[in-house]
Amino acid sequence: MSDADTTGRAAGEAGAADRRREQRGWYFYDFACSVYSTSVLTVFVGPYLTSVAKAAADAEGFVHPLGVPVRAGSVFAYAVSASVVLAVLVMPLAGAAADRTGRKKPLLALSAYLGAAATAGMFFLDGERYLLGAFLLIVANASLAVSMVLYNAYLPQIAAPEERDAVSSRGWAFGYTSGALVLVLDLALYTNHASFGLSEADAVRICLASAGLWWGAFTLVPLRRLRDRRVAPGGEGTVGSGWRQLLATLRDMRRHPLTLSFLLAYLVYNDGVQTVISQASIYGSEELGLEQTTLITAVLLVQVLAVAGALGMGRLARTYGAKRTILASLAVWTLILAAGYFLPAGAPVWFYALAAAIGLVLGGSQALSRSLFSHLVPQGKEAEYFSAYEMSDRGLSWLGPLVFGLAYQLTGSYRDAIISLVVFFALGFVLLARVPVRRAVAAAGNPVPDRI
């Protein structure tokens, strides 16, 4: 072997080692922020904010923010929807700024710590302060969405095309692992709150605030290990140029109609996924009459099985392709909602069964959607295109919570609200089935994997 070959091989090994180091750091942002998604959004804040709103409600069960009559039971769903609208306004600008300057890390730090601070501030949510709770929820949820634009945009830079399904799935697995770990601690605190000299509400507020502290602490790991890439000079980084870059991005995306077709399908079915995640605890507590302890253990079951589900569906994707595996998961999601509509009240065992089914498809459907989209992004447009993806992931997932909230507002039944979400999965299945993903990858100028 020549000296040149030896030098090239050493450089390649060093590059691979650096890439693996970045990948390990990248996983830890999922580890940091997923605690918010599980402990806060999925378990505690929905039922607790609803109880605070009910405490402030009039005799007919309505609160009146800005003079508008709103059922107390709809406040949480509307706050989630409002947070998504705010995220829509900010995420494309963050993505365009990141691609223009090449400085993803400062923007990731800003959005992550703003969200962590808002979450920690939920410690002060008590009494009748439902407006404070709604405000903090809106800030935290929108901040998470913006940070995920920047986080996801690293994936094409730190993983080769053939690695992305596995790397994306490991990221989700890290997130579900942290969610399960913190839920065990939350369960111990909540069930033993009296022995700690705490009220039930105090225990919930500590669980909410600790999720913000966890988010902030573990965000330090990706901020240390991820690195920004240099970009060619491309103009000033002003707010005006950011908006111009956003408009240019939207025009550019019209040149990739197959990528847009995938985004449309993802927008629809992921709206259903995000709504199920955020509203499940409300459905369990208000419609099925389940105790908070049951909800915590059910979500813990989801977290444990989601790790296996994310890794298992990643393996299925290597055999059958990511598209077919996602389509199969959407069929399962539809069956889950149909079963959820008929769940008997006061029967935890059936709720656990449903939680197990959700866990097995949740992580995989999200992880494979992210890795599949990474193949459809033109090089150099990662943050901008992932801002559009994140708008589909969290940013445009306002319709599902709005439909859920309106269904309850009009009917007073959470069963009617939950069954209304079936349309998102059925329509998303049809739209995704029509996307020729191999042609879409080639049209984006990327190498087409053997199996996708």
Side-chain angles (χ1 to χ4, degrees):
M1 182 179 294
S2 68
D3 291 342
D5 290 338
T6 302
T7 301
R9 180 179 176 183
E13 291 175 350
D18 288 342
R19 190 170 71 248
R20 286 193 296 272
R21 184 176 187 275
E22 279 197 278
Q23 289 172 2
R24 288 191 291 270
W26 186 79
Y27 299 149
F28 266 92
Y29 191 67
D30 253 322
F31 192 84
C33 70
S34 291
V35 171
Y36 168 83
S37 298
T38 53
S39 291
V40 178
L41 192 62
T42 305
V43 176
F44 287 111
V45 77
Y48 186 65
L49 179 58
T50 300
S51 69
V52 173
K54 285 183 175 180
D58 60 21
E60 287 75 34
F62 286 84
V63 291
H64 299 269
L66 303 177
V68 178
V70 174
R71 277 190 189 270
S74 295
V75 167
F76 173 64
Y78 290 156
V80 172
S81 187
S83 73
V84 172
V85 174
L86 175 61
V88 167
L89 300 176
V90 180
M91 286 191 301
L93 294 180
D99 280 335
R100 176 177 291 275
T101 64
R103 293 172 60 86
K104 295 184 185 70
K105 278 208 298 186
L107 295 170
L108 176 62
L110 175 62
S111 54
Y113 283 108
L114 181 60
T119 305
M122 292 180 186
F123 179 80
F124 301 102
L125 174 59
D126 61 359
E128 298 181 0
R129 299 177 178 175
Y130 76 95
L131 285 177
L132 172 65
F135 172 76
L136 293 174
L137 175 61
I138 289 168
V139 172
N141 231 30
S143 297
L144 177 65
V146 172
S147 71
M148 291 301 291
V149 169
L150 304 157
Y151 167 69
N152 286 335
Y154 275 103
L155 180 59
Q157 297 178 336
I158 65 173
E162 66 275 7
E163 297 178 307
R164 290 180 196 164
D165 285 349
V167 170
S168 183
S169 295
R170 288 188 200 112
W172 282 108
F174 263 61
Y176 287 119
T177 299
S178 73
L181 174 60
V182 173
L183 276 178
V184 169
L185 300 176
D186 289 342
L187 181 62
L189 176 64
Y190 183 82
T191 55
N192 298 285
H193 59 83
S195 63
F196 292 108
L198 300 171
S199 68
E200 184 176 310
D202 290 338
V204 171
R205 292 189 296 115
I206 290 172
C207 291
L208 292 172
S210 63
L213 297 177
W214 180 285
W215 184 357
F218 283 99
T219 294
L220 293 172
V221 179
L223 292 180
R224 286 181 62 86
R225 292 202 170 187
L226 293 171
R227 61 185 179 87
D228 286 331
R229 271 72 174 172
R230 291 180 178 271
V231 296
E236 74 280 7
T238 64
V239 173
S241 67
W243 280 107
R244 289 193 295 272
Q245 180 63 52
L246 171 60
L247 295 175
T249 300
L250 295 176
R251 286 194 296 269
D252 183 75
M253 291 187 72
R254 293 171 60 188
R255 297 170 48 233
H256 302 282
L258 297 180
T259 300
L260 283 175
S261 295
F262 173 82
L263 272 178
L264 176 61
Y266 182 68
L267 181 155
V268 173
Y269 71 73
N270 188 67
D271 204 344
V273 172
Q274 295 298 324
T275 307
V276 171
I277 293 170
S278 65
Q279 305 301 321
S281 59
I282 287 287
Y283 185 69
S285 63
E286 299 294 323
E287 184 68 35
L288 303 181
L290 301 176
E291 298 291 335
Q292 186 75 59
T293 302
T294 301
L295 300 178
I296 296 172
T297 51
V299 174
L300 179 59
L301 178 62
V302 170
Q303 298 302 112
V304 172
L305 291 178
V307 175
L311 298 177
M313 286 182 65
R315 292 191 180 94
L316 287 174
R318 289 198 292 270
T319 302
Y320 300 103
K323 177 183 172 180
R324 289 182 179 178
T325 307
I326 295 169
L327 288 172
S329 76
L330 297 183
V332 175
W333 275 109
T334 303
L335 294 175
I336 287 171
L337 284 180
Y341 178 81
F342 293 104
L343 279 185
V349 64
W350 292 109
F351 193 73
Y352 288 139
L354 204 65
I358 289 174
L360 290 174
V361 295
L362 175 61
S365 60
Q366 293 177 317
L368 292 177
S369 296
R370 178 170 63 185
S371 62
L372 179 56
F373 181 70
S374 72
H375 293 284
L376 310 182
V377 179
Q379 290 188 1
K381 301 285 187 178
E382 292 86 3
E384 294 176 38
Y385 273 60
F386 266 107
S387 71
Y389 174 86
E390 192 63 24
M391 281 167 47
S392 299
D393 187 359
R394 299 174 199 270
L396 289 184
S397 295
W398 58 269
L399 185 58
L402 181 61
V403 167
F404 188 94
L406 285 174
Y408 179 75
Q409 174 109 358
L410 296 173
T411 68
S413 169
Y414 283 108
R415 292 187 187 273
D416 292 338
I418 202 72
I419 200 63
S420 68
L421 303 178
V422 167
V423 67
F424 292 97
F425 295 101
L427 181 57
F429 182 99
V430 172
L431 292 174
L432 178 60
R434 293 170 57 88
V435 177
V437 292
R438 298 185 69 84
R439 276 204 290 134
V441 174
N446 295 322
V448 182
D450 293 335
R451 182 79 63 180
I452 189 169

